[in-house]
């Protein structure tokens, strides 16, 4: 007498859903990054992909429990579903911890946003109301995202900023060279999963050289997961190093107190 060993249908469906979740996640990210779908569509697609992946993991868990007692075929299907499902859930888990770690904000600036205007009207018209931080929350969450003052000419600072922007691979959309009063640079940033964010630099003259303010704002996102504040801190830290190297390599610069200020650029706090 032959004993028939059945294949678990639950395990088969778990594997199918796990296999489906992978292209759903990849395609939604790729299409969003290429600008072929809007952020609203991307959020819906990502939510569907996450639900499919979670369902695959759930069914795989149920199937494993049944296989333990019934001895049916399907272990490979279960472990495959667990692998692909959990893999697809990793980005969701990562962003969940970022949302818990960073404040709910979409716009971070070292000065009043009126001094650092956004320029992408077609996108900003569809943006939700910007979420910004109070001065106290700004200092607590992003302590080095502050106005910088340097003992170099605005034109020289402008050139250094453009060089750093090029190194970052950001797309410059507006470039106003500092004149008698101030200059401005607007650039677009595309994150790894396709979110569009705008970075604004304001460069102005001071009695001892120049200063720079920076703003970073998400376009079409309800939460920036800390990207804007961290971007400002990282960029300004790199700019500090660039200015220090520039002053070191140009000792003949006729700037007041350049030798004293080269080692530690001044930091000011504007209204966030």
């Amino acid at each position: 007498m032959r004993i028939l060993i059945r294949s678990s249908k639950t395990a088969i469906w778990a594997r199918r859903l796990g296999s489906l979740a992978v292209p759903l996640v990849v395609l939604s990210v790729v299409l969003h990054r290429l600008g072929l779908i809007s952020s609203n569509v991307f959020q819906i697609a990502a939510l569907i992909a996450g639900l499919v992946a979670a369902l695959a993991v759930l069914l795989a868990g149920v199937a494993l429990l049944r296989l333990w007692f019934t001895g049916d075929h399907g272990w490979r299907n279960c472990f495959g579903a667990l692998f692909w499902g959990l893999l697809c859930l990793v980005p969701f888990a990562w962003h969940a911890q970022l949302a818990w770690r960073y404040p709910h904000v979409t716009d971070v600036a070292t000065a009043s946003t009126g001094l650092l205007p956004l320029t992408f009207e077609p996108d900003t018209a569809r943006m939700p109301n910007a979420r910004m931080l109070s001065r106290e929350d700004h200092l607590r969450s992003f302590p080095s995202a502050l106005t910088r003052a340097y003992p170099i000419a605005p034109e020289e600072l402008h050139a250094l900023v453009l060089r750093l922007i090029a190194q970052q691979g950001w797309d410059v959309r507006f470039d106003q060279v500092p004149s008698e009063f101030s200059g401005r640079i607007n650039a677009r940033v595309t994150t790894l999963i396709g979110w569009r964010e705008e970075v604004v630099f304001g460069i102005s003259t001071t009695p001892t050289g120049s200063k720079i303010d920076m703003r970073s704002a998400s376009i079409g996102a309800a939460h920036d997961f800390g990207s804007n504040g961290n971007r400002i801190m990282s960029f300004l830290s790199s700019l500090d190093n660039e200015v220090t190297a520039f002053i070191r390599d140009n000792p003949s610069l006729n700037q007041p107190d350049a030798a004293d200020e080269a080692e530690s650029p001044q930091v000011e706090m504007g209204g966030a």
Side-chain angles (χ1 to χ4, degrees), residues 21-238:
V22 176
L24 286 178
V25 170
V26 173
L27 283 176
S28 60
V29 170
V30 170
L31 293 176
H32 188 224
R33 185 170 175 82
L34 294 176
L36 299 178
I37 59 175
S38 67
S39 294
N40 289 334
V41 173
F42 167 71
Q43 292 180 74
I44 296 173
L47 178 61
I48 293 174
L51 290 176
V52 171
L55 184 57
V57 172
L58 178 62
L59 286 180
V62 172
L64 284 173
L65 184 63
R66 288 181 176 179
L67 293 177
W68 181 263
F69 291 102
T70 64
D72 290 346
H73 285 305
W75 293 94
R76 180 178 298 179
N77 288 334
C78 287
F79 287 119
L82 281 175
F83 174 78
W84 294 117
L86 291 174
L87 181 65
C88 292
L89 290 176
V90 167
F92 295 92
W94 173 254
H95 282 84
Q97 68 88 19
L98 289 178
W100 175 82
R101 179 180 176 187
Y102 291 105
H104 193 180
V105 62
T106 60
D107 198 332
V108 180
T110 65
S112 170
T113 56
L115 302 175
L116 302 166
L118 303 175
T119 61
F120 307 141
E121 291 85 358
D123 294 315
T124 56
R126 297 193 298 269
M127 288 174 60
N129 293 331
R131 293 180 177 270
M132 301 195 71
L133 297 172
S134 66
R135 178 187 176 91
E136 293 73 19
D137 291 337
H138 180 111
L139 291 172
R140 180 169 54 252
S141 301
F142 309 109
S144 63
L146 306 172
T147 302
R148 296 295 202 272
Y150 301 109
I152 62 175
E155 297 81 5
E156 295 164 339
L157 179 57
H158 178 266
L160 293 177
V161 171
L162 282 179
R163 186 166 72 183
L164 280 178
I165 290 176
Q167 292 176 4
Q168 296 288 339
W170 299 345
D171 183 14
V172 175
R173 298 296 184 89
F174 180 85
D175 182 11
Q176 177 181 308
V177 179
S179 56
E180 182 180 353
F181 298 102
S182 63
R184 196 176 90 235
I185 302 172
N186 289 66
R188 172 165 291 187
V189 179
T190 301
T191 67
L192 181 62
I193 62 174
W195 292 111
R196 268 61 175 177
E197 296 177 339
E198 181 174 354
V199 184
V200 190
F201 301 89
I203 301 173
S204 56
T205 303
T206 66
T208 59
S210 58
K211 71 174 184 177
I212 182 170
D213 283 295
M214 186 173 173
R215 177 186 183 185
S216 185
S218 299
I219 300 174
H223 199 309
D224 71 354
F225 303 103
S227 65
N228 289 307
N230 285 324
R231 178 178 298 113
I232 292 176
M233 290 197 299
S234 176
F235 188 94
L236 292 179
S237 177
S238 297

